[in-house]
Amino acid sequence: MPEVRRGTAEPLPTIAGAAIGLTLLGLAVSQLAVSAQSVPSTGAVATVRLKPDTTVPPRLVLDRYCVTCHNERLKTAGLTLDQIDVAHPGQRAEEWEKVVRKLRTGAMPPANAPQPSAQDRTALVSWLESSLDAAAAAHLNPGRTDTLRRLNRTEYQNAIRDLLSLDIDAASLLPPDDSGHGFDNVTVGDLSPALLDRYISTAQKISRLAIGGAQPSAQTDVIRLPADLTQEEHVPGLPVGTRGGVSSAHTFTHDGEYDIQIWLARDRTGSVGGLRASASHELLVLVDRTLVKSMTIEMPPDGDDTSVDAALKVRVPVTAGSHQVGVAFVKNAASLLETARQPLLAHFNENRHPRLTPAIAQVSITGPYAAKAAGDTPARRRIFVCRPDDARPSTSSGRPELAEGRKEDACAKQILSTVMRRAYRRPIAEVDLKGPMARYREGRSEGNFDAGIGRALSAVLVSPEFLFRVELDPDGVAAGAAYRISDLELASRLSFFLWSSIPDEELLDAAIRGTLSRPDELERQARRMLADPRSSNLASNFAGQWLGLRSLESLDPNVRLYPDFDDNLRQAFRQETELFVDSILREDRSVRDLIKADYTFLNERLAKHYGIPHVYGSRFRRVTLAPDSARGGLLRHGSILAVTSYATRTSPVLRGVWVLDNIFGAPPPPPPANVPALDDTPVAASLAMRQRLGAHRANPACASCHKTIDPVGFALENFDAVGRWRDDDGDSGPVDVSGALPGTGAFRGVAGLEESLLSRPELFAGRLTEKLLTFALGRGVEYYDAPAVRKVLREAEPGYRFSSILLGIVKSVPFQMRRSS
Amino acid sequence: MIIMKKALPRRTFLKGVHAALALPLLDAMIPAATALAKTPAKPVARLGFVFIPMGCDHSRWTPKGQDTLGDLSPILSSLAPVKDHVTVVSNLRLENAYPGTHDTSNAGFLSAAFAKHTESSDYYLGTTVDQVAARQMGQDTQLPSLELSMDISSRAGVCNNGYACVYSNSLSWSSPTTPLPSEAHPRLVFERLFGEGGSAAERRAVLRSRASLLDSFSEDIARLKRRVGIGDRARVDHYLDSVRDVERQIQRAEAAAADSPVTDLDRPEGVPAAFADHAKLMFDLQVLAFQADITRVVTFQLTRELSNRTYPEIGVPDPHHPISHHGNDPEKIAMIAKINTFHVSLFAQFLEKLKATPEGDGTLLDHTVYLYGSGMGNPSVHDHENLPILVAGGAASGLRGGRHITYKEGTPLANLHLTLLDRVGVRLDAFGDSNGKIEDLFG
């Protein structure tokens, strides 16, 4: 019997005699005896009672096709199926789930072994899945997330934004997070001294930025531009007619004057790149798109440009708050470069792609000077929900300073409890206020009311109640039992899943009222949160990690082979994929469209890279593609094709593993520790890629995995290491793009790969669900989560809309429950 | 180990904050005499490296005398006030920098390793001597090491002859594949060393509030510990260990702040326009870093390889790199000599400042060893023979100055690195391409 806390009625099915949901392999199953409606051919929910004896019974299927290798004697891959009891799969769920995955994806039996008929395979899988689901329903295992999980960098930054209306750059304040199972919110139980130290520094800095502080001294922030950024064209956010430079939001703590200083990019010898005696350049400094100063840069008559940027500074009055600081050059009209060879788009390095015009290396903002009192900023408005003067005077005292102090204390308490409620994500009791109020009094005695609030705010931001997400076993629950997590814990899970941030007021209120776990309320909140712009987090944070886009930052293609690569292209790659995934989310399209779509997002730089004409300007816009276009779904995105390549060439192995893991759901095992070294026979670089990797197939020890991995990558060989389409590969002639996926026949090229994936959409949808569930729970998905994943898929069929999958996860057992220790 | 003459009572700086933690007695609080007995006999307390590019004019660099440094050569004349603390070393070479380029000169100076010839991200060099030392010496300081330079922008792609820019950007590498970035902005260096807060009073206040925040955290963690299950208590104990570590760091910082004369210094405003002023500021920051014991290992790239900087302030209107290819033209050689002299004078001023700063039973200079030099010898032919090398300071560890030692031709520079590592307590069999130690440097 499942043990459940909180006394809520469990709306979960019991085993005996109930309808069992089935998901089919997308093939007609005509021989199954059905007691309800007939079964449609492709992946639809059907209510069927299985009678195992109408087709080949599961035991016979195993004996005929599996036991040849997977027996007690050979123990292939550590799996023995000859003695195992197939009538009660629930008793050995871990092994059976592995079997199910292999059977579903078609990875087993191996291609060169006898295959069961489609019906028999389906019947076996159906039997196993329905039994496993039923067993799981009888003994719920929601898995156990860690009790204490630290906010990672992204979550911290978003939490500060939502808590204090303050934008910070967490990447410059906190060290990077480690990843587990592909996501950086998994291994977050640690708190090293270095990290604690940084949290303290960061809390103090944030407090100062948010409150303003009493005696400000000038601080410097430096904006550094990447060294490989081409600055010849327009940058979004800066006025049309300018080129290069940077536009960045900066938080000014006080009304006052700030120095903005600019350094120009210099090449390896120390000269300003792109500065010639023949031309002068106008540099503009803008605050909130208003011109503050314009400066002229030209080569001095003696040709010595050592001090040419010494005078590039301006002192400007700015009000407190967040403002856009922009620095850019006026674009000098220039005629098109008429050269025999197509000019490169990248210009940042003297050797191969010299700068045509000067560029900016660094901008520093120092201040405030002549600061006035802390100005009115969104953060201050957010924090100061009352002022000590507004508080009603105490009625019982005759001493004015005591009344004053009580007024201030009362207001301080109000301010702090408001902030702490959102920061700690729970109702605040008197005992919670003790610590922060003590800090407030410290700061108040050393300074003024604002200083006291500032000190207390730092304490709140350093509290483990803010830094950690805590999930506690309730009292009285038996060991190893499944219990429903509290509404407050559920609210946090929901907001950190969809927004990577703290719950907002509405969500928190629902949780405090105790209504959040009601199915209709939960769905309403989840839908509301998906419609909120903050859910773009799924496109940037989740998809960025799932698809491996974080590797774009360190992408460094060989400059000789791929000379036309700069930071502009790197950022464009990322933008295309993030905007694309976001569009699938916003329009609630089917996740199938992630694989194959007739549109993408481009700006001029990326369009030129892809060879798509008539796209002008730096702004990203949706572009409908021609039917024969080489672009479309994720498999054709430059970002993914580049991060799955080496600096000098493509890698079918990397691409194969990437597709099998992230898209198909059958990740190959890692190479064994004692993988035999290939002969030191060098392979001619002029050979086709397929031949160069020939040793993978020739050596049987390697072939066991590589005969599955390599063909997937070969199908993508039309795309080079920076994602451009090619029909030939250098000297080795036309690329051979025949490929294969487990369980399908052969196909050609990326189109064939897409078609094969879409013929079994439940595999991709299932893998995406697993990745989303990992991200949602902050733990790796295990065999006991498989029934929950199958349930999500069943409810998302046949459309597989993004929202159906997301809501399915929110409603799932692992998301709503937890196993006690 | 910095020797404080007094043992500070704990938490003298905290006013009115109840201590929620009872910490064990910390070694920072052990009186000086006892602390000394635990450390190796007369170790070198601090190590610094200054790099200049494109070799030198040997005719004006190499002193005439052997053994005792009699008259200083023209380029080294500014070292007169600290002559007794400086040793000029001749005939060291950097084999692994061949085939000679500017990039390998920079990359090889502290690594003595062969730089993989690549423009791409598969660069490979070797761990540099300062980082090996930092692993030993940097345990007790806030920053294990400090990397400084004079260059505001960074470069990407190819810098010279097919070498990736990391080779000429980074002097320090913490592993063969990890070049360390350096900071050239004095303000950012200052903030990294001393934290935020413009004035000394502000910085003290910041430290005080850090300590109080740490108490805040510990109180909350203690409460949390009571609520979590037994299985999670060990995890919370780990957090408390971290709290203790951070408390120690704050106490050290506080102790240093209370004791040292740097507390009155305000943060530098911007980057000085003149090269000499910028360099002096960067050197001053190193003095401060040592005085406050924030770090004990420093590297400083005084100028980049391939620099085209002109030095009109000393009468050199032509860019550095082209004239370094002097082809034996006496006028160009003379200008190179002027640049060399200028650079040495900046270093000499720094040594004088170290000498004028008392520490323990001597001066800061006595407890610090600096290596100044280049990875290139004759710039006109790009060779890496007879590198211009100075070793300064270290009297407290037996480094006898006032000498000119000429080693057997072809002695690897790595031998010197190996010797220095030995003196800071890192005993290796070899470093880079070393074939032994340099014995007669230390008495």
Side-chain angles (χ1 to χ4, degrees):
Chain A
M1 287 309 278
E3 294 182 19
V4 175
R5 259 299 274 174
R6 320 285 151 130
T8 48
E10 270 310 302
L12 289 159
T14 55
I15 311 171
I20 297 166
L22 281 177
T23 317
L24 300 166
L25 271 176
L27 299 166
V29 196
S30 51
Q31 291 187 11
L32 273 179
V34 296
S35 60
Q37 63 270 32
S38 64
V39 176
S41 59
T42 334
V45 181
T47 327
V48 179
R49 177 160 318 167
L50 183 64
K51 292 180 198 160
D53 55 1
T54 51
T55 58
V56 181
R59 181 75 254 162
L60 277 182
V61 174
L62 288 175
D63 288 340
R64 215 174 275 176
Y65 301 103
C66 315
V67 160
T68 331
C69 297
H70 294 291
N71 54 54
E72 285 292 331
R73 192 175 53 84
L74 289 175
K75 290 193 174 60
T76 311
L79 181 67
T80 58
L81 294 174
D82 48 348
Q83 313 283 357
I84 201 171
D85 177 10
V86 72
H88 302 97
Q91 288 167 357
R92 303 270 286 274
E94 187 166 1
E95 282 146 299
W96 286 119
E97 290 288 358
K98 285 188 195 152
V99 172
V100 163
R101 187 184 288 274
K102 292 287 187 187
L103 287 175
R104 267 199 167 279
T105 55
M108 282 287 143
N112 56 355
Q115 301 284 324
S117 70
Q119 296 94 298
D120 289 343
R121 185 191 286 266
T122 310
L124 176 57
V125 171
S126 305
W127 165 249
L128 290 172
E129 286 185 344
S130 53
S131 309
L132 287 165
D133 287 351
H139 297 283
L140 294 177
N141 186 355
R144 185 175 173 76
T145 48
D146 280 344
T147 303
L148 294 158
R149 295 177 56 228
R150 188 176 45 76
L151 259 54
N152 70 15
R153 220 161 52 169
T154 311
E155 292 164 347
Y156 188 96
Q157 177 164 328
N158 292 345
I160 297 293
R161 175 200 65 205
D162 292 341
L163 186 67
L164 303 174
S165 298
L166 187 69
D167 285 314
I168 59 165
D169 177 22
S172 65
L173 297 167
L174 298 169
D177 304 298
D178 293 318
S179 281
H181 297 284
F183 294 98
D184 63 2
N185 63 348
V186 172
T187 50
V188 284
D190 61 310
L191 184 67
S192 63
L195 190 52
L196 178 57
D197 191 63
R198 297 273 211 123
Y199 274 133
I200 294 176
S201 307
T202 304
Q204 289 179 309
K205 179 158 188 166
I206 289 173
S207 186
R208 190 170 35 78
L209 283 173
I211 305 265
Q215 307 109 344
S217 65
Q219 306 291 330
T220 302
D221 283 301
V222 176
I223 304 163
R224 290 197 158 112
L225 275 69
D228 59 352
L229 182 69
T230 301
Q231 298 187 35
E232 309 291 344
E233 299 298 332
H234 175 252
V235 168
L238 290 163
V240 175
T242 64
R243 61 156 186 93
V246 61
S247 174
S248 168
H250 186 260
T251 305
F252 295 84
T253 55
H254 291 75
D255 296 347
E257 295 184 337
Y258 292 81
D259 271 348
I260 300 176
Q261 179 157 18
I262 297 119
W263 282 270
L264 298 174
R266 291 172 183 271
D267 60 33
R268 63 198 168 112
T269 59
S271 327
V272 175
L275 186 63
R276 282 172 271 280
S278 47
S280 74
H281 305 270
E282 199 181 333
L283 182 68
L284 306 176
V285 179
L286 307 120
V287 175
D288 289 333
R289 296 184 69 102
T290 308
L291 183 65
V292 161
K293 186 160 183 194
S294 124
M295 298 171 268
T296 307
I297 296 165
E298 48 198 5
M299 176 69 90
D302 61 0
D304 180 6
D305 59 5
T306 316
S307 333
V308 88
D309 47 7
L312 297 181
K313 62 161 92 165
V314 57
R315 181 169 286 209
V316 51
V318 186
T319 56
S322 176
H323 298 277
Q324 284 291 117
V325 174
V327 181
F329 288 93
V330 172
K331 187 165 169 64
N332 291 339
S335 49
L336 288 172
L337 289 169
E338 297 271 357
T339 57
R341 283 175 15 196
Q342 180 76 5
L344 293 175
L345 296 165
H347 297 282
F348 62 85
N349 181 278
E350 194 185 294
N351 272 18
R352 204 158 274 106
H353 359 69
R355 292 200 190 271
L356 304 173
T357 48
I360 293 164
Q362 194 169 303
V363 177
S364 74
I365 302 169
T366 310
Y369 298 105
K372 304 175 189 61
D376 176 42
T377 65
R380 282 185 62 88
R381 274 179 257 135
R382 193 65 181 275
I383 292 168
F384 290 100
V385 292
C386 66
R387 294 294 315 176
D389 340 65
D390 319 326
R392 271 182 240 107
S394 155
T395 48
S396 63
S397 162
R399 283 156 53 195
E401 68 273 17
L402 203 59
E404 195 59 41
R406 283 212 200 101
K407 258 200 286 185
E408 286 195 354
D409 269 17
C411 183
K413 274 193 177 170
Q414 193 183 343
I415 290 174
L416 291 176
S417 51
T418 310
V419 162
M420 287 162 70
R421 185 174 181 272
R422 291 270 326 266
Y424 297 1
R425 312 176 282 276
R426 62 171 176 77
I428 300 297
E430 192 65 35
V431 63
D432 298 313
L433 286 166
K434 263 183 52 195
M437 281 303 288
R439 302 293 166 263
Y440 156 74
R441 284 188 196 100
E442 271 170 35
R444 174 75 186 82
S445 64
E446 289 173 19
N448 60 7
F449 184 74
D450 284 10
I453 296 295
R455 185 75 71 89
L457 182 61
S458 306
V460 169
L461 294 177
V462 150
S463 168
E465 305 250 21
F466 170 66
L467 290 176
F468 286 86
R469 290 166 55 188
V470 186
E471 290 185 349
L472 297 172
D473 295 345
D475 301 321
V477 92
Y483 69 88
R484 220 179 234 297
I485 63 176
S486 69
D487 273 22
L488 287 172
E489 290 168 350
L490 187 58
S492 272
R493 279 198 183 182
L494 198 53
S495 68
F496 281 101
F497 174 33
L498 301 178
W499 290 346
S500 288
S501 184
I502 52 177
D504 64 355
E505 290 291 353
E506 187 178 332
L507 185 62
L508 199 53
D509 283 340
I512 291 176
R513 273 199 307 270
T515 55
L516 186 59
S517 45
R518 286 204 321 239
D520 53 334
E521 179 66 17
L522 185 60
E523 175 157 344
R524 200 177 68 77
Q525 289 293 339
R527 284 196 185 277
R528 174 182 74 87
M529 293 168 80
L530 282 176
D532 188 290
R534 276 173 285 193
S535 63
S536 298
N537 170 64
L538 288 168
S540 56
N541 192 16
F542 164 72
Q545 296 186 69
W546 164 46
L547 301 171
L549 300 186
R550 297 257 172 114
S551 307
L552 279 172
E553 286 313 311
S554 52
L555 197 65
D556 205 2
N558 185 291
V559 281
R560 274 183 214 261
L561 296 170
Y562 306 103
D564 211 2
F565 188 88
D566 54 9
D567 194 65
N568 313 50
L569 195 54
R570 208 183 269 126
Q571 300 307 327
F573 277 166
R574 179 208 311 292
Q575 286 252 64
E576 177 191 20
T577 307
E578 284 185 4
L579 287 168
F580 181 70
V581 176
D582 195 56
S583 73
I584 306 279
L585 177 69
R586 296 277 147 228
E587 295 161 34
D588 200 16
R589 297 170 85 107
S590 166
V591 299
R592 274 202 202 88
D593 292 353
L594 287 168
I595 300 293
K596 192 167 169 66
D598 61 358
Y599 70 96
T600 189
F601 290 82
L602 300 172
N603 69 357
E604 185 174 342
R605 179 76 173 89
L606 189 56
K608 284 201 174 133
H609 181 74
Y610 286 159
I612 295 175
H614 309 312
V615 177
Y616 303 110
S618 58
R619 181 183 55 91
F620 264 87
R621 82 294 309 267
R622 190 199 196 101
V623 174
T624 308
L625 299 163
D628 59 348
S629 173
R631 304 292 154 185
L634 286 176
L635 297 171
R636 301 164 184 261
H637 279 206
S639 58
I640 287 158
L641 295 162
V643 298
T644 51
S645 298
Y646 293 122
T648 52
R649 61 167 176 86
T650 60
S651 170
V653 174
L654 286 179
R655 286 184 179 165
V657 171
W658 189 93
V659 171
L660 288 170
D661 184 353
N662 297 311
I663 306 288
F664 188 67
N674 54 348
V675 64
L678 293 170
D679 291 335
D680 273 323
T681 334
V683 177
S686 58
L687 284 180
M689 182 61 75
R690 203 171 289 259
Q691 278 70 44
R692 283 158 75 187
L693 295 181
H696 286 178
R697 298 186 293 285
N699 186 326
C702 311
S704 58
C705 294
H706 278 274
K707 68 179 191 302
T708 308
I709 298 171
D710 293 8
V712 183
F714 286 140
L716 293 170
E717 273 289 286
N718 276 128
F719 295 104
D720 70 5
V722 287
R724 286 178 305 198
W725 181 273
R726 59 179 180 181
D727 292 306
D728 298 333
D729 179 11
D731 294 331
S732 57
V735 279
D736 175 3
V737 292
S738 36
L741 270 177
T744 55
F747 47 73
R748 293 188 54 74
V750 62
L753 177 56
E754 287 168 346
E755 211 179 288
S756 173
L757 287 167
L758 289 176
S759 71
R760 293 179 289 169
E762 72 282 358
L763 292 178
F764 170 57
R767 192 53 169 167
L768 175 57
T769 304
E770 286 173 353
K771 296 282 181 181
L772 281 166
L773 192 59
T774 306
F775 182 72
L777 297 175
R779 65 166 174 82
V781 158
E782 303 288 336
Y783 71 91
Y784 47 77
D785 298 308
V789 171
R790 285 194 285 270
K791 181 148 190 266
V792 171
L793 285 179
R794 279 197 298 275
E795 285 164 14
E797 284 171 349
Y800 295 115
R801 279 149 113 57
F802 211 155
S803 68
S804 312
I805 293 183
L806 291 166
L807 287 171
I809 289 174
V810 167
K811 291 188 259 190
S812 72
V813 163
F815 194 80
Q816 300 214 358
M817 306 183 76
R818 187 167 177 248
R819 197 180 66 229
S820 65
S821 70
Chain B
M1 182 162 318
I2 284 289
I3 296 148
M4 300 300 219
K5 281 300 191 185
K6 14 184 205 251
L8 291 170
R10 290 177 60 234
R11 293 183 181 273
T12 47
F13 50 88
L14 290 181
K15 297 178 179 65
V17 176
H18 61 282
L21 291 177
L23 293 180
L25 186 61
L26 303 170
D27 40 311
M29 297 306 142
I30 297 173
T34 335
L36 252 189
K38 290 197 281 193
T39 58
K42 300 196 284 188
V44 168
R46 290 181 212 86
L47 211 47
F49 299 88
V50 180
F51 174 82
I52 50 155
M54 296 177 276
C56 67
D57 164 26
H58 284 96
S59 70
R60 294 185 182 81
W61 171 281
T62 315
K64 294 282 186 309
Q66 287 300 312
D67 256 13
T68 323
L69 203 54
D71 290 324
L72 288 167
S73 58
I75 291 176
L76 302 177
S77 53
S78 56
L79 292 167
V82 289
K83 195 168 83 168
D84 296 329
H85 300 269
V86 176
T87 301
V88 184
V89 177
S90 293
N91 267 346
L92 296 181
R93 73 192 294 262
L94 200 53
E95 166 75 44
N96 279 332
Y98 285 102
T101 63
H102 297 281
D103 310 77
T104 54
S105 158
N106 185 73
F109 182 61
L110 293 183
S111 69
F114 186 76
K116 179 175 174 186
H117 186 191
T118 175
E119 306 167 6
S120 195
S121 47
D122 58 336
Y123 39 76
Y124 196 93
L125 184 64
T127 309
T128 49
V129 58
D130 61 299
Q131 291 303 305
V132 177
R135 280 187 213 143
Q136 172 85 356
M137 299 160 76
Q139 299 299 332
D140 298 324
T141 50
Q142 178 185 322
L143 299 175
S145 67
L146 186 62
E147 290 76 41
L148 304 175
S149 63
M150 293 280 288
D151 232 358
I152 292 290
S153 23
S154 66
R155 282 143 204 56
V158 178
C159 273
N160 187 31
N161 280 0
Y163 282 96
C165 286
V166 287
Y167 293 120
S168 49
N169 285 347
S170 295
L171 208 53
S172 296
W173 291 54
S174 63
S175 87
T177 51
T178 318
L180 297 180
S182 59
E183 186 55 71
H185 204 302
R187 179 183 212 99
L188 297 183
V189 176
F190 189 97
E191 279 176 9
R192 218 176 141 217
L193 296 177
F194 297 109
E196 311 208 335
S199 68
E202 257 190 60
R203 290 197 291 281
R204 269 196 295 271
V206 164
L207 275 175
R208 268 201 303 278
S209 72
R210 284 178 77 79
S212 121
L213 283 182
L214 196 60
D215 273 352
S216 203
F217 179 86
S218 339
E219 283 164 27
D220 284 352
I221 274 284
R223 273 201 296 160
L224 201 56
K225 186 173 174 181
R226 280 180 243 124
R227 288 164 60 201
V228 303
I230 299 182
D232 294 305
R233 300 227 173 114
R235 169 64 59 81
V236 179
D237 284 335
H238 278 311
Y239 300 157
L240 285 169
D241 289 340
S242 297
V243 169
R244 276 182 252 282
D245 270 351
V246 177
E247 247 241 350
R248 255 193 283 264
Q249 282 173 31
I250 295 179
Q251 286 177 332
R252 247 189 243 118
E254 259 298 333
D259 218 27
S260 74
V262 305
T263 50
D264 292 328
L265 206 91
D266 283 349
R267 179 179 37 213
E269 286 294 296
V271 183
F275 180 85
D277 293 339
H278 186 182
K280 179 170 182 304
L281 190 47
M282 299 303 277
F283 274 123
D284 284 349
L285 286 168
Q286 292 172 52
V287 178
L288 288 184
F290 293 148
Q291 282 182 296
D293 199 29
I294 293 175
T295 187
R296 298 176 193 164
V297 179
V298 176
T299 59
F300 183 25
Q301 190 191 57
L302 188 52
T303 308
R304 274 179 79 81
E305 277 288 350
L306 266 180
S307 163
N308 269 348
R309 177 183 286 276
T310 60
Y311 296 87
E313 62 266 39
I314 53 165
V316 180
D318 295 328
H320 191 169
H321 178 228
I323 52 175
S324 74
H325 287 277
H326 49 71
N328 295 323
D329 172 354
E331 257 186 57
K332 288 192 180 154
I333 296 180
M335 286 202 282
I336 285 294
K338 277 193 183 161
I339 296 177
N340 295 152
T341 312
F342 180 54
H343 287 159
V344 170
S345 72
L346 297 169
F347 184 57
Q349 273 178 36
F350 170 61
L351 293 179
E352 284 180 67
K353 194 150 184 193
L354 288 177
K355 185 174 164 195
T357 311
E359 183 193 35
D361 46 358
T363 70
L364 209 48
L365 185 58
D366 295 335
H367 297 101
T368 309
V369 171
Y370 256 77
L371 190 152
Y372 173 103
S374 181
M376 200 176 272
N378 179 348
S380 190
V381 299
H382 275 199
D383 77 19
H384 306 281
E385 310 296 325
N386 191 10
L387 307 171
I389 299 285
L390 303 173
V391 184
S397 347
L399 186 57
R400 289 189 299 119
R403 296 184 292 158
H404 170 216
I405 311 180
T406 307
Y407 287 100
K408 197 171 68 146
E409 209 168 293
T411 307
L413 173 65
N415 287 11
L416 178 54
H417 293 326
L418 191 64
T419 310
L420 292 176
L421 284 177
D422 188 67
R423 298 306 297 204
V424 306
V426 179
R427 301 226 146 71
L428 298 174
D429 291 328
F431 178 81
D433 61 345
S434 67
N435 59 16
K437 288 211 241 330
I438 293 188
E439 295 307 331
D440 26 349
L441 205 53
F442 288 85

